[in-house]
Amino acid sequence: VKTAVDNRSEVAELGHRSAAPLESTGLKIELGRRYKFAASHRLHTDKFSEEENVRVFGKCANPYGHGHNYVLEISVSGDVDPATGMIANLADLDGFVQREVIDAFDCRSLNEDVAAFRGVVPTTENLCIEIFRRLKNFPKAKLERVRVQETTNNSFEYFGI
Amino acid sequence: VEGTACFRAGCGVTNKMVLITRKIEFSASHLYNNPALSSEENRRIFGKCNNPHGHGHNYALEVTVAGEPNPVTGMVLDLKELKEILEREVMQRMDHRFLNYEVAELKGQIPTCENIARVIWGLLEPKIKHGKLHRVRLYESEDLFADCYRNGVDVS
């Protein structure tokens, strides 16, 4: 569990506005945004034998991979600018996510096209962590969490460290 | 063992509590315009949302209350009660209204998701007598929403 102090030091470390989420009203506001991308992956590790890969990953270890329509939901926090009523301008946020995540992942193979998944199994857990890493330096607000829906039956959330 | 059961520091939710969420939908129109800025600047910052006659959304509001279930009724709060509060405080104020002109609480504010969520929090929090308001989530569309929480409140 993160403490308020941990949060603040993390904010300072990442060079975000200091104590941005702590509103004078005692309320914390987060902006949530949803994006979509389609990508393929294969769950497989060289550390296992072929039999072990099949036993652990099942159909997800099929040699040529398969794909999903991923849904990405992110939340950012910060002061609501009284002039705009916004934590962050959507055009800035959308542009950042487009460059850092969508352009890098959409219509690609996570295993082959994303360096972070060389030697790392591209489960949706690891995908959440990688997306958090890519988005945490958004300059206009503090990234609070990343949620990735792999199918309508599975979703994963990561709050960063 | 009693402890914090939520990832959010100081959110006040303990592991004896249950979260209960009620959803309502309302339709309203709005526009984004800051009279302190020039029309060019308003256009640049707010884009189409600055169109002078406004536009509308089907808003979805999710209200989450945290509390320990009453040992007799098994309820954190009576959903009927929450439904009536939402009807009175939100539906009657905002449904089929132009948010800029008809909602006094939003006067002088740009009616973004962030600001509407905060106004709704302010309307609901004092009315909820059983349990504590934990989260207000307002969807402007399926792809855009704002969450409001009380920051760093400890229950004991």
Side-chain angles (χ1 to χ4, degrees):
Chain A
V1 174
K2 288 200 289 183
T3 67
V5 173
D6 291 338
N7 273 331
R8 269 199 293 277
S9 59
E10 186 181 308
V11 170
E13 215 175 272
L14 298 173
H16 292 129
R17 289 172 298 174
S18 62
L22 305 173
E23 284 222 330
S24 56
T25 53
L27 299 181
K28 178 168 185 170
I29 317 276
E30 296 178 359
L31 175 70
R33 188 76 161 139
R34 193 174 77 159
Y35 304 92
K36 293 174 183 176
F37 61 90
S40 63
H41 69 169
R42 179 193 184 204
L43 304 188
H44 178 274
T45 173
D46 295 341
K47 296 184 182 76
F48 290 164
S49 68
E50 284 316 300
E51 294 71 38
E52 268 188 305
N53 270 299
V54 170
R55 187 176 57 76
V56 173
F57 297 118
K59 286 191 291 191
C60 299
N62 283 353
Y64 298 106
H66 61 281
H68 297 286
N69 294 325
Y70 290 96
V71 178
L72 166 64
E73 190 184 282
I74 66 168
S75 286
V76 299
S77 67
D79 288 327
V80 177
D81 182 344
T84 63
M86 296 171 182
I87 290 172
N89 195 303
L90 280 185
D92 293 338
L93 183 62
D94 290 352
F96 189 78
V97 174
Q98 182 73 36
R99 277 193 309 280
E100 298 296 326
V101 175
I102 310 295
D103 289 347
F105 295 174
D106 190 34
C107 292
R108 294 190 187 271
S109 157
L110 297 177
N111 303 64
E112 303 298 327
D113 297 327
V114 180
F117 297 120
R118 299 274 149 72
V120 173
V121 185
T123 57
T124 310
E125 291 91 325
N126 282 333
L127 186 56
C128 276
I129 295 168
E130 173 60 10
I131 291 173
F132 196 98
R133 191 189 67 75
R134 285 168 177 260
L135 296 181
K136 71 180 178 187
N137 290 323
F138 178 57
K140 311 280 174 104
K142 180 178 183 292
L143 183 65
E144 291 285 342
R145 62 187 180 86
V146 160
R147 177 174 166 266
V148 178
Q149 187 180 296
E150 183 183 42
T151 70
T152 47
N153 298 324
N154 301 329
S155 69
F156 303 77
E157 284 184 82
Y158 183 63
F159 303 95
I161 44 168
Chain B
V1 183
E2 185 157 348
T4 302
C6 182
F7 65 89
R8 194 174 298 280
C11 72
V13 177
T14 70
N15 55 13
K16 287 186 172 174
M17 291 184 176
V18 176
L19 302 182
I20 173 167
T21 300
R22 174 90 188 165
K23 179 182 157 186
I24 59 167
E25 293 178 341
F26 61 93
S27 304
S29 53
H30 69 175
L31 72 91
Y32 293 173
N33 185 66
N34 183 341
L37 303 173
S38 69
S39 48
E40 292 71 34
E41 267 204 297
N42 271 303
R43 196 74 207 163
R44 186 180 60 75
I45 295 171
F46 299 125
K48 286 190 290 191
C49 298
N50 184 236
N51 283 350
H53 303 295
H55 62 280
H57 297 284
N58 295 325
Y59 290 93
L61 174 68
E62 289 174 6
V63 173
T64 302
V65 177
E68 295 180 21
N70 177 298
V72 177
T73 63
M75 297 176 183
V76 173
L77 83 171
D78 189 340
L79 267 182
K80 268 201 312 294
E81 190 184 311
L82 183 56
K83 197 175 152 185
E84 281 163 17
I85 294 170
L86 293 176
E87 171 64 30
R88 212 169 43 239
E89 300 299 329
V90 181
M91 292 302 275
Q92 287 184 18
R93 253 192 195 81
M94 300 187 182
D95 191 32
H96 288 73
R97 299 284 180 186
F98 201 117
L99 299 175
N100 301 63
Y101 308 134
E102 296 186 278
V103 178
E105 290 78 6
L106 281 165
K107 265 243 135 67
Q109 298 188 50
I110 314 285
T112 56
C113 259
E114 292 96 314
N115 277 337
I116 304 167
R118 180 167 45 190
V119 161
I120 290 175
W121 180 284
L123 291 168
L124 297 181
E125 193 182 37
K127 306 289 180 195
I128 290 169
K129 306 294 185 200
H130 301 102
K132 276 194 159 184
L133 187 56
H134 173 68
R135 186 182 82 176
V136 162
R137 172 173 284 192
L138 181 71
Y139 284 92
E140 179 181 295
S141 73
E142 288 182 335
D143 296 331
L144 181 64
F145 59 89
D147 286 323
C148 187
Y149 301 88
R150 184 158 285 294
N151 206 11
V153 175
D154 243 320
V155 288
S156 44

